[in-house]
Amino acid sequence: MELDEVVLYQDDSGDSDVMSERVAGLASSIYREFERLIEKYDEDVVKDLMPLIVGLLENLDSVFAANKEHVVELELLKEDNEQLVTQYEREKALRKHAEE
């Protein structure tokens, strides 16, 4: 699997989501390691571990998505704050001018 490829997975609700590129890269590396272990030992070596890793990767991906949303929200709030500070400074200057 190439890192450029989009990885789709289905959650319990049946919704398909696109996995982030970073998590897809990790999943690809882990998958190759599992293949190596299966080749060397047997599939029993990883059969109990694989569902845990898949769940972990899905949770990691959802955390990346939530973090991305928070970063966008933070940028919007910073812009709002800058606008409010500018408006406050303008109002303050107008009030000072009116008092004079």
Side-chain angles (χ1 to χ4, degrees), residues 62-77:
S62 68
V63 167
F64 274 133
N67 186 49
K68 194 174 189 179
E69 289 175 14
H70 289 127
V71 167
V72 169
E73 184 179 353
L74 179 62
E75 288 301 317
L76 291 172
L77 289 171

Side-chain angles (χ1 to χ4, degrees), residues 5-6 11 13 15 23 31 33 35 43-44 46 52 57 62 64 69-71 73-74 78-80 84 86-87:
E5 293 178 18
V6 174
D11 61 13
S13 65
D15 295 334
V23 176
Y31 181 75
E33 187 63 23
E35 283 182 325
E43 68 182 41
D44 289 340
V46 297
L52 297 171
L57 289 170
S62 68
F64 274 133
E69 289 175 14
H70 289 127
V71 167
E73 184 179 353
L74 179 62
K78 282 180 180 179
E79 289 175 12
D80 287 349
L84 288 171
T86 302
Q87 183 179 353

